[in-house]
């Protein structure tokens, strides 16, 4: 957006990492829909669904890194932001060439590529881009959040880590989360909001320790 362009509730902005929350919510909807996606749970190892694409360092990581691990940022992988490959699948496959900087489950490490690792199987299972599935399932009930399919930046980190949306649409999304409304289930919302990982070993001034949930 140019600085001379007036901002309105309908102006599209890059939402950046706020997209992570919606990716986690989209996965929650798949888990709730167990009749169609019985092989997807929070603790499903991602390589089980992406056997050829999601290959990490070491046999243990290959068999144990789950959706929950990726969403709570405890896979052992750092950001690797400069490892841009040009597509979601290439980004995932390139993780085998990127070093880990901690043992899995040891500590919180911000890594958007792992949200691509969550978004990509959602697209594979549903047969539609993440923007399409999030829009149709998650937010049409409340006027619809505009996750334009052409705006999902799969060439940066993979689906699930960056998109375009509007202030109005994200306000609707926040209303779903705050009111704990349909189509999200109570169980799914509980999983999304439960604190799981300290983001730092030392408390921040005035706010104390920060705990990361899912997304």
């Amino acid at each position: 957006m140019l600085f001379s362009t007036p901002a309105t509730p309908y102006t599209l902005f890059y939402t950046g990492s706020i997209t992570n929350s919606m990716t986690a919510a989209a996965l929650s909807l798949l888990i709730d829909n167990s009749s169609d996606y019985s092989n997807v749970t929070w603790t499903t190892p991602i390589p089980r669904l992406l056997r050829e694409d999601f290959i990490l360092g070491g046999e243990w990581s290959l068999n144990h890194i789950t959706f929950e691990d990726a969403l709570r940022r405890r896979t052992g992988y750092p950001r690797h932001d400069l490892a841009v490959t040009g597509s979601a699948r290439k980004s995932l496959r390139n993780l085998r060439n990127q070093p880990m900087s901690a043992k899995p489950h040891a500590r919180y490490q911000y890594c958007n590529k792992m949200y691509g690792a969550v978004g990509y199987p959602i697209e594979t299972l549903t047969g539609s881009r993440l923007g399409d599935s999030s829009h149709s399932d998650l937010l049409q009930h409340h006027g619809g959040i505009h996750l334009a399919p052409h705006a999902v930046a799969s060439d940066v980190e993979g689906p699930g880590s960056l998109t375009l949306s509007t202030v109005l649409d994200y306000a609707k999304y926040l209303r779903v989360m705050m009111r704990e409304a349909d189509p999200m289930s109570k169980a799914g919302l509980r999983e999304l909001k439960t604190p799981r990982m300290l983001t730092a070993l030392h408390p921040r001034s005035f706010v104390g320790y920060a705990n990361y949930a899912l997304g």
Side-chain angles (χ1 to χ4, degrees), residues 40 99 111 114 150 160 197:
V40 180
C111 181
M114 288 300 165
H150 66 275
M197 199 77 178

Side-chain angles (χ1 to χ4, degrees), residues 135-156:
H135 180 272
S136 60
D137 293 336
L138 181 56
L139 296 153
Q140 274 189 347
H141 295 72
H142 296 271
I145 284 185
H146 182 75
L147 280 178
H150 66 275
V152 177
S154 297
D155 58 332
V156 180

Side-chain angles (χ1 to χ4, degrees), residues 63 118 125 156 158 184 196:
N63 293 318
V118 174
L125 291 169
V156 180
M184 300 298 298
R196 298 167 188 268

Side-chain angles (χ1 to χ4, degrees), residues 71-197:
L71 292 174
R72 67 194 288 184
R73 304 187 189 277
R74 64 170 195 174
T75 62
Y77 276 81
R79 300 185 68 114
H80 290 310
D81 289 341
L82 298 180
V84 179
T85 57
S87 73
R89 189 182 186 198
K90 288 180 180 178
S91 181
L92 291 182
R93 292 176 69 88
N94 193 42
L95 283 173
R96 70 193 70 186
N97 302 316
Q98 306 303 318
M100 301 171 72
S101 59
K103 292 183 178 180
H105 299 178
R107 59 190 174 95
Y108 170 92
Q109 288 185 287
Y110 197 93
C111 181
N112 270 334
K113 292 187 182 299
M114 288 300 165
Y115 274 75
V118 174
Y120 185 64
I122 293 175
E123 292 188 337
T124 302
L125 291 169
T126 61
S128 62
R129 299 193 67 175
L130 185 61
D132 293 333
S133 59
S134 295
H135 180 272
S136 60
D137 293 336
L138 181 56
L139 296 153
Q140 274 189 347
H141 295 72
H142 296 271
I145 284 185
H146 182 75
L147 280 178
H150 66 275
V152 177
S154 297
D155 58 332
V156 180
E157 300 284 6
S161 60
L162 180 64
T163 190
L164 292 172
S165 193
T166 69
V167 171
L168 181 62
D169 289 337
Y170 260 91
K172 295 173 184 176
Y173 173 66
L174 288 174
R175 183 170 59 190
V176 172
M177 291 298 171
M178 294 174 67
R179 294 182 177 179
E180 300 193 344
D182 290 337
M184 300 298 298
S185 70
K186 297 295 184 183
L189 286 164
R190 183 173 60 251
E191 292 288 346
L192 294 177
K193 295 180 179 182
T194 298
R196 298 167 188 268
M197 199 77 178

Side-chain angles (χ1 to χ4, degrees), residues 41-77:
T41 69
W42 297 110
T43 57
T44 297
I46 299 176
R48 187 176 298 173
L49 301 178
L50 300 174
R51 181 64 64 182
E52 296 182 359
D53 297 325
F54 192 73
I55 299 176
L56 306 180
E59 189 68 21
W60 190 94
S61 298
L62 181 63
N63 293 318
H64 293 87
I65 295 298
T66 66
F67 284 113
E68 181 184 352
D69 293 329
L71 292 174
R72 67 194 288 184
R73 304 187 189 277
R74 64 170 195 174
T75 62
Y77 276 81

